[in-house]
Amino acid sequence: MSYPVTRLRRLRKSAVIRNMVRETEVNRDDLIMPYFVCPGENVCNPIKSMPGNSQLSIDQLVKEVQDLYATTGIDKILLFGIPESKDEHGHVACHLDAIVPKAIRALKKAIPQVLIVADVCNCEYTTHGHCGTIVDGDVDNDSTLHTLAAQSVTLAKAGADIIAPSDMMDGRVGAIRNALDESGFQNTPIMAYSAKYASAFYGPFRDAAESAPKFGDRSTYQMDPANGDEALREVEQDIIEGADMVMVKPALSYMDIISRVKSTFNMPVVAYNVSGEFSMVKAAAANGWVDEERMIKEILTSLKRAGSDVIITYHAKEFVLSELKKGNRV
């Protein structure tokens, strides 16, 4: 019986060899940990649909991020806000005393080493839960741009390191870039949610951010999950308008899009491993159906292998702690 000269199993025979030839590794520098900040003091409201995550008041958020940095070395976070009150347009988010700007200032004072990505959208701040001003039953694109630009400048003034618009309005990257530049923030990068799909995977997030729409859905401005070529057009437009990084959201069902974006544009690509993807793993693990640690590592590795340079994930802290506990490089 003859055998091939090349046997690929030779490079799998031991952990040392497998580690030596491993093509893709996830490390802490790749990861961004999201947080939800809310009004009050000493508030920690567990999010039932997202085990291990909570709505945190600013004082508790500072403590949590200090612990994140001290125990894992993760130095990048993404902030979402739950305001005390809402309005029809999201104007409440445009003031320097709004919840997220206040949180940014507190974090920068306590932990200046940590990079803060500030989400820019209106769904948490509008009474109707949509991502902009409603005209004739739908979000009006161009009037919403003014709110997004004003919110972005406020966040930059508060100390946000990166502005991340997630609204999916046409032209919002250009409007935000112009507003930032005119306000003296020419060096503040924009991480654009460029290919954000109208997905069923956002459910737990909407519980966490209290941002579910009061009527209809977001399919007139977020992308149709069936479309791939359109995603490249969205990404290209954001790049033309000045995006410094582009994002694909959700991640797991859209790894083909991540790969296409990376190979087409060869610029920093962010994958958002969203709440529904996180919660599915947690639910399966709670039932004893999966090996949670292995599954988390496999998911994050696959996202990086697909072409992601950065991964936003609620698994960030537990992943790094798990790897450190095992003595692995991370």
Side-chain angles (χ1 to χ4, degrees):
M1 186 175 181
S2 61
Y3 292 93
V5 173
T6 299
R7 295 188 182 211
L8 295 176
R9 286 185 57 185
R10 292 182 189 128
L11 297 183
R12 303 173 195 151
K13 65 182 293 185
S14 71
V16 173
I17 294 178
R18 291 194 298 273
N19 290 340
M20 181 177 67
V21 299
R22 183 162 293 135
E23 299 172 24
T24 305
E25 296 208 36
V26 178
N27 62 64
R28 77 189 91 200
D29 291 333
D30 304 325
L31 305 177
I32 297 176
M33 181 74 191
Y35 287 103
F36 301 91
V37 61
C38 66
E41 292 184 9
N42 200 33
V43 177
C44 181
N45 295 326
I47 303 163
K48 292 182 179 179
S49 58
M50 297 177 66
N53 291 268
S54 299
Q55 296 176 337
L56 301 169
S57 55
I58 291 174
D59 57 322
Q60 296 302 305
L61 174 67
V62 169
K63 291 179 181 178
E64 174 59 33
V65 177
Q66 285 176 323
D67 180 72
L68 174 79
Y69 183 66
T71 59
T72 68
I74 293 173
D75 57 3
K76 292 175 284 297
I77 66 169
L78 171 62
L79 281 187
F80 298 97
I82 298 98
E84 289 187 11
S85 62
K86 304 187 180 191
D87 60 53
E88 287 294 301
H89 309 283
H91 292 162
V92 65
C94 300
H95 305 295
L96 277 170
D97 62 351
I99 185 66
V100 174
K102 287 169 65 176
I104 292 171
R105 290 194 294 271
L107 287 164
K108 283 297 180 183
K109 182 177 180 180
I111 331 154
Q113 308 94 321
V114 172
L115 180 143
I116 300 174
V117 183
D119 178 81
V120 175
C121 194
N122 292 314
C123 59
E124 301 108 301
Y125 306 107
T126 54
T127 51
H128 45 75
H130 277 282
C131 297
T133 298
I134 300 296
V135 176
D136 296 330
D138 195 9
V139 174
D140 183 72
N141 193 96
D142 293 3
S143 60
T144 298
L145 298 183
H146 298 292
T147 311
L148 298 170
Q151 187 185 152
S152 298
V153 171
T154 296
L155 292 166
K157 287 180 178 178
D161 297 289
I162 296 176
I163 301 299
S166 62
D167 55 283
M168 285 300 286
M169 297 299 111
D170 290 337
R172 91 273 202 212
V173 172
I176 291 169
R177 184 72 271 159
N178 288 338
L180 289 173
D181 291 353
E182 290 172 1
S183 300
F185 297 103
Q186 296 93 338
N187 294 324
T188 299
I190 294 175
M191 176 191 290
Y193 290 62
S194 297
K196 181 179 179 181
Y197 285 84
S199 172
F201 286 99
Y202 302 149
F205 174 92
R206 291 174 182 173
D207 291 340
E210 300 179 9
S211 62
K214 296 292 191 297
F215 63 89
D217 57 31
R218 294 177 176 146
S219 58
T220 66
Y221 45 101
Q222 294 178 355
M223 283 189 57
D224 184 341
N227 293 355
D229 292 344
E230 183 185 7
L232 298 186
R233 295 175 64 195
E234 287 279 8
V235 170
E236 182 178 35
Q237 188 60 47
D238 283 357
I239 294 170
I240 291 170
E241 292 178 22
D244 301 284
M245 292 172 274
V246 293
M247 186 190 302
V248 176
K249 179 183 180 185
L252 287 179
S253 291
Y254 300 88
M255 282 195 284
D256 60 321
I257 307 302
I258 293 170
S259 180
R260 290 180 68 184
V261 168
K262 186 63 179 179
S263 62
T264 301
F265 300 106
N266 193 29
M267 68 179 297
V269 177
V270 183
Y272 198 143
N273 180 210
V274 299
S275 60
E277 298 166 347
F278 169 86
S279 296
M280 288 194 302
V281 173
K282 288 294 181 182
N287 281 281
W289 296 337
V290 298
D291 182 327
E292 183 177 6
E293 287 189 356
R294 286 186 62 198
M295 179 170 280
I296 291 170
K297 186 169 185 176
E298 186 174 341
I299 287 170
L300 298 182
T301 302
S302 68
L303 294 177
K304 190 168 181 184
R305 190 191 66 240
S308 306
D309 301 285
V310 180
I311 303 169
I312 301 169
T313 178
Y314 304 94
H315 293 299
K317 183 177 182 179
E318 60 186 325
F319 167 74
V320 173
L321 287 175
S322 172
E323 291 299 293
L324 291 173
K325 184 178 179 181
K326 295 173 185 174
N328 292 337
R329 294 173 302 175
V330 68

